[in-house]
């Protein structure tokens, strides 16, 4: 049973749209929530991350929104571009987890149409 | 990421064969991980190692074994491959003094017939 549930599994938007990917977690000990981006034929790479002391974090066109009470967090991509087409994974871990162990969501395959 | 390399990149094998996937890194990180990726299931941890003398089972270690030959090398073996081990396999590293970021290799696509 996945401790981090991610939705949707796939998403198609037009260029300029704002795709939103949602994740929900169960373990209240989680206190670090990264998003990884994976292009075809490549390994995942860290995109952006948030800690629960803030409700939002922006880096360029990418924004994480965090709702601690609901145990949910989401990734928004502003002004999406075809080059953003990739698979996105949310993940979670806790500072108590000395091994940097990440629990990943199931992934979302995003396609941005020109 | 050229700092974490995996060989082979693709492999097709038959049921019952022994397979070894290799991972090397030049990041100087002590911590290394093996994951498998399946559609809809994300990345699941198979084994991890905090240093050369430390090996730990992950979420789905059955049917797999690992060897940490050096700080820079971490190999994954399938002792007797079965079709449901067909997947994309990733090696990753992390710095224990870093910010929890893991650095992934390019992956090995394994098909077991």
């Amino acid at each position: 049973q996945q401790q981090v549930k991610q939705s949707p599994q796939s998403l198609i938007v037009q260029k300029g749209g704002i795709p939103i990917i949602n994740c929900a977690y169960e373990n209240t000990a989680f206190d670090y929530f990264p998003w990884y981006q994976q292009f075809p034929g490549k390994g995942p790479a860290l995109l952006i991350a948030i800690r629960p002391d803030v409700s939002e974090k922006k880096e360029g066109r990418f924004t994480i929104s965090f709702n601690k009470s609901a145990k949910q967090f989401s990734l928004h991509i502003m002004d999406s571009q075809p080059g953003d087409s990739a698979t996105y994974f949310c993940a979670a871990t806790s500072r108590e987890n000395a091994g940097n162990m990440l629990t990943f969501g199931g992934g979302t395959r995003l396609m941005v149409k020109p | 990421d050229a700092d974490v390399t995996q060989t082979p990149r693709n492999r097709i094998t038959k049921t019952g064969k022994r397979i070894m996937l290799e991972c090397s890194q030049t990041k100087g990180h002590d911590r290394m991980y093996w994951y498998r990726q399946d559609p809809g299931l994300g990345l699941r941890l198979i084994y991890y190692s905090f240093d050369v003398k430390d090996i730990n089972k992950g979420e789905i270690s059955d049917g797999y074994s690992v060897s940490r030959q050096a700080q820079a090398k971490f190999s994954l073996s399938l002792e007797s491959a079965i079709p449901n081990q067909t997947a994309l396999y990733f090696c990753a590293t992390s710095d224990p003094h870093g910010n929890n970021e893991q650095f992934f290799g390019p992956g090995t696509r394994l098909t077991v017939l």
Side-chain angles (χ1 to χ4, degrees):
Chain A
Q1 185 175 4
Q2 286 187 315
Q3 291 192 54
V4 179
K5 295 184 178 180
Q6 184 173 345
S7 63
Q9 284 197 4
S10 63
L11 187 56
I12 301 174
V13 299
Q14 293 293 134
K15 177 183 175 182
I18 306 175
I20 301 172
I21 304 170
N22 300 299
C23 286
Y25 63 97
E26 298 172 1
N27 188 343
T28 55
F30 287 152
D31 59 6
Y32 176 73
F33 303 90
W35 286 87
Y36 280 75
Q37 180 187 52
Q38 181 185 27
F39 292 107
K42 304 290 186 182
L46 179 65
L47 179 65
I48 185 173
I50 194 169
R51 295 199 182 272
D53 51 344
V54 296
S55 60
E56 186 176 277
K57 183 174 181 180
K58 291 184 179 180
E59 287 188 5
R61 295 182 294 105
F62 299 91
T63 299
I64 300 178
S65 297
F66 185 81
N67 185 330
K68 188 174 181 178
S69 61
K71 293 186 289 184
Q72 296 176 349
F73 58 109
S74 59
L75 178 69
H76 302 230
I77 306 176
M78 308 302 289
D79 187 27
S80 59
Q81 301 297 312
D84 296 328
S85 297
T87 298
Y88 292 82
F89 295 98
C90 62
T93 188
S94 70
R95 291 179 203 180
E96 295 177 350
N97 190 332
N100 295 14
M101 313 298 265
L102 295 171
T103 299
F104 285 90
T108 297
R109 181 173 289 185
L110 171 66
M111 179 184 295
V112 181
K113 290 189 171 183
Chain B
D1 190 329
D3 295 335
V4 183
T5 57
Q6 293 183 234
T7 56
R9 293 296 312 277
N10 289 282
R11 181 73 184 267
I12 299 174
T13 191
K14 295 182 178 180
T15 297
K17 295 291 188 181
R18 185 178 188 274
I19 297 297
M20 179 180 287
L21 309 183
E22 299 187 351
C23 176
S24 294
Q25 53 115 348
T26 59
K27 288 190 164 295
H29 291 166
D30 287 327
R31 293 178 176 171
M32 298 187 74
Y33 311 81
W34 274 104
Y35 291 92
R36 66 176 279 175
Q37 181 180 347
D38 299 277
L41 297 179
L43 292 148
R44 292 181 293 165
L45 184 64
I46 306 172
Y47 270 95
Y48 60 100
S49 170
F50 288 177
D51 62 39
V52 175
K53 298 180 181 179
D54 178 81
I55 301 289
N56 304 280
K57 292 183 178 180
E59 178 186 354
I60 53 165
S61 60
D62 287 349
Y64 301 94
S65 63
V66 291
S67 173
R68 185 81 184 266
Q69 300 96 323
Q71 187 209 36
K73 296 184 181 297
F74 192 34
S75 300
L76 176 72
S77 294
L78 287 66
E79 299 301 325
S80 179
I82 56 176
N84 76 359
Q85 291 178 313
T86 293
L88 198 51
Y89 289 85
F90 287 100
C91 173
T93 74
S94 70
D95 177 358
H97 307 295
N99 61 353
N100 290 93
E101 181 176 0
Q102 292 191 12
F103 297 85
F104 286 81
T108 294
R109 183 169 295 280
L110 177 66
T111 302
V112 183
L113 301 176

